[in-house]
Amino acid sequence: MAQSQPFALACQGGLNKVSSQLELLRTPGEAIRLQNFEVSTTGGYRRINGYSQLGDGTRPNSTNPILGLCVYADGVVACSGTNIYFSQDGNSWLQINMASVDAGGDNYSTFTGRSASARTSQGQATFAIYEGDTDYGELIITDRGTGVKPFYFKMTGTDSSLSNRTFFAKEITVSSTEYPKYCVIHDKHLVVGGAGTSENTIYYSGTSDIDDFTSSGSGSILLDDQVVGLRSFRDDLIIFCRNSIYKLTNINVSASIAVEPITKNIGCLDGASIQEVGGQLLFLAPDGIRTVAGTARIGDVELGSLSRKVVPIFTDIAVNIDSYNISSAVIRKKSQYRLFYGSSSLSTKTSQGVVGTLRINPEGGSRFEWAELLGIQASQGFTSGFDKDNIEKIYHGDYTGYVYNHDTGDQFNPAGTATNIDAEYESPDIDFGDLGTLKTLKYVKISVSPEGQVQP
């Protein structure tokens, strides 16, 4: 009588789309299909959370698509149509793109009575917050529209009622003909770049004077490549270009300010993919997700690829990048990077995503393990950040103008209609330690950690 032998398998390693069937025999815990699952930081695979409407589901601007979201103060800022809105709860939205509110600010009544400064041709937005010494910081918004100036917004007053707060809002002139698409706060400066008429130039504001590009400490730098994204990282400003990456140092020392190339062989496909996770700066390159990480040598950097096992997904994104909208955010409590990509044609209204979780491997090193997302329409507006109470908030918006709480509940809730989450996991073929011997399975034991009612 044949003797029974146990075989143990741990679900780990994430999605693998590149290894052969024979190679996968050595890693049976990986997945060849992992859709709407995430790699858990505590081990195994976990079905993702869903999403729910923010508040009562009131849309900021009717059916106009959400073009960008930013966690700000005790709420969220949403760009939609030709306007910008703020809401504390999603039940009502305050339009904030008002004209020329600067010195002294406006009370609520005066602010809401002003005429709007319509942002004609507004595109997908980029946000930056200058903390300074204000209650909630100063918010800067740039976008990929044509002929749209950067927008400045500030709100002061800690009373829970907006009617007791003071508002500041205005457009920022970088120059009379420049309309930059990307922005970041770096070492007391607002830095912008990617303007359609000067795609290779970055501009930086005066020192501690983020709304003035003519005051002391301001300037501009011409690069050899098209700027597609900006990010402050440690002491340097990282400038992502289409085919190269640079770093700017000593922005506050005019005699020694310098731009140095990090690489001229790899560029960034889309600035909306840039995020910092676990002390690493991630971005979407032609061959997948890469990182610009500090090395042991002070001031040096290295580039590393993090997504080799799911290269086919990113190859598709790279090939179709001109027809995709890209958005990304970090879920900090999960050490997780999420990127969504969808058709820029609003008529199709499609969106897919990938999720990478930073895990500690058995050897003690760190690595990203990946899965795919489907059914979340978030490729134009997706954000995470800390509110005034230092609580992480995560939101996404869709093509029909709704804003949602992201990563919550156990259902998808588009337009208030709850649907179950379709999730699929498929392991590789398993040889149970011997490829040449026929086996009979007597029983299978599955270890799960249920978070609700489970029916295996």
Side-chain angles (χ1 to χ4, degrees), residues 268-319:
C268 177
L269 292 181
D270 196 298
S273 68
I274 304 168
Q275 298 292 338
E276 185 173 348
V277 186
Q280 304 179 74
L281 201 57
L282 276 58
F283 67 97
L284 177 62
D287 59 350
I289 299 297
R290 285 183 167 265
T291 178
V292 178
T295 64
R297 297 192 300 274
I298 296 175
D300 198 4
V301 294
E302 63 179 6
L303 291 173
S305 178
L306 304 176
S307 55
R308 291 188 179 94
K309 290 184 179 181
V310 289
V311 161
I313 297 174
F314 292 105
T315 298
D316 172 76
I317 297 174
V319 169

Side-chain angles (χ1 to χ4, degrees), residues 61 65 67-68 78-85 97 118-125 141-149 151:
N61 192 11
L67 300 173
C79 296
S80 178
T82 60
N83 297 318
I84 307 171
Y85 301 86
N97 55 303
R119 298 172 65 75
T120 305
S121 301
Q122 184 170 238
Q124 191 176 3
I141 306 172
T142 55
D143 65 66
R144 303 186 186 188
T146 303
V148 184
K149 290 184 177 182
F151 190 78

